Amino acid sequence: MPDESNETSPLLENGHGDDERKLVKFEEGDKENPRCWPKSRKMTNVGIIALMAILSPLASSMFTPGIDQIAEDLGATQEEVIGATTGFVVFLGLGPLILAPLSETFGRRKLYIICFTFFTLLQIPTALSPNVATLVAVRTISGFFGSVGIANGGGTISDMFKPEERAGIFGWYLLGPLLGPTLGPLFGGLIVEYLSWRWVFWILLIVCAVNTALGYLFLKESYAPVILEARREAYEASSDSNTKFKFDGQDDRPFQTKIVESMQRPLRILFTQPIVLTMAIYQAILFGTNYTLFTNFQDIWGDGYGFSTTKVGLLYLGPGLGFLAAVWFIVPKIDTIYNRLTKRNNGEAKPEYRLPLANIGSVFIPIGLFWFAWCVEYHVHWFPTILSTFFFGIGQITVFNTVQNYYIDSFSKYAASAIAAGAVFRSLVGGTIPLFAPALFDRVGYGWGFSVFAFTSLALSPSPLLFFYFGERVRKRFAIEL
């Protein structure tokens, strides 16, 4: 996204220096500028991409209540079936490495429509899987295409909303990647119990097809360089003379060079920026903890407490309600605090002003995990046990929102790549941890097993506070040219 001064400059200006091309810009109040769109158009875009961002994570966990049924039907072990979740989640993280930078080259809309069409169609062979190998393979591929909503959602919101108004909108969008895995087992439990596990994917096919159709009909391109490029081409095509035009920030390098550099961008951000790497590790631990909870709910509540599949599905509302409470009561305050601190700093905004509320999450997360661990270990009544996941959910949403907003503010034009940098690490770790968790629980029990996750989150909990005070110094020390 071009900087704000460029977006509000006159529509056309003469080029500068030796470049005689006329400059194409957004004028003040330009209706094609995504930040000047009517609220209804912005929210239509947000609604469509938010649905994409919730459906792919929903698909990641929706079949978990049917793990036993799938294993029996396909003649496989539980661990092999869990591999279908691992493959999906890992590629849900790897996808943004490619899809995010591609959206910064070709635009957001094309990527959304093409990728979600493939994701939708891949539900058909998943539902028809004759063996566990097919199930794992197709689920893994679908995870890649399904990641498009996660890869580009933050960038799309950054395209349309100014920093001071972004966090509240982004909070509701970010519910998708977290609430999806929570709602998945709830719906999946009902489908598995009353229909069969294959119907999980038939229903996903129908819902995803509707979402794809809505995107095709109503989703608008929001990436400013792509919009300005289209305007430039239109001016040149309609010009009677040989007048040439350009837009501010136009990249005239060869196509291959642009693609190669854009593909490298997320990894460069991840491995050269200590703050991004540290917070990516933090989010990865939380993501892994989340999926470990979800993949073990059936064993904990079904086998340990004797709950039916439907009742187990309802217990996923514990963390889900925590997510909603955080988005409703805490996330809107991210903008409030950001604007207040900016005003105090003579109107100069800093990405670190997004981080103060992360400290609430950093406290709630280990408390919730220790609470849950030992309630399960000593078989405490289900209500106080599931209540702990409510506070874990609040903490997770709070940390995720503050960190994602920090990424966007730090790398505004390449926000999608910055978010992808964190997403790949998060999903790689989050997808593999559940594979090893059952062995950990068998060896030390749920009490010490979940306490391992709690201690890890506790060790990382000071990072938002440290980066609030020292983040600017670290950013300047490790500044990179993108």
Side-chain angles (χ1 to χ4, degrees), residues 305-328:
Y305 284 75
F307 286 3
S308 68
T309 302
T310 302
K311 288 181 179 178
V312 172
L314 289 171
L315 292 174
Y316 286 87
L317 290 175
L321 291 173
F323 297 158
L324 289 170
V327 169
W328 192 267

Side-chain angles (χ1 to χ4, degrees), residues 107-118:
R108 318 287 194 201
R109 187 180 185 277
K110 288 180 182 177
L111 267 292
Y112 283 128
I113 301 301
I114 293 171
C115 289
F116 221 72
T117 297
F118 277 104

Side-chain angles (χ1 to χ4, degrees), residues 100-108 223 226 255 258-259 262 265:
L102 283 180
S103 79
E104 293 161 350
T105 303
F106 298 107
R108 318 287 194 201
Y223 193 50
V226 171
F255 177 76
K258 289 193 287 186
I259 289 294
S262 68
R265 192 180 300 126

Side-chain angles (χ1 to χ4, degrees), residues 450-461:
F450 279 111
S451 290
V452 169
F453 293 96
F455 280 120
T456 307
S457 68
L458 186 62
L460 289 165
S461 62

Side-chain angles (χ1 to χ4, degrees), residues 175 317-328 389-395 397:
L175 267 178
L317 290 175
L321 291 173
F323 297 158
L324 289 170
V327 169
W328 192 267
T389 66
F390 173 80
F391 291 98
F392 172 74
I394 290 177
I397 274 284

Side-chain angles (χ1 to χ4, degrees), residues 272-288:
T272 64
Q273 301 299 294
I275 298 177
V276 175
L277 181 59
T278 303
M279 299 311 290
I281 292 171
Y282 193 7
Q283 290 185 86
I285 297 299
L286 298 183
F287 208 62

Side-chain angles (χ1 to χ4, degrees), residues 406-425:
Y406 173 85
Y407 290 163
I408 293 173
D409 286 355
S410 298
F411 306 95
S412 56
K413 182 178 179 181
Y414 300 114
S417 287
I419 291 173
V424 62
F425 203 84

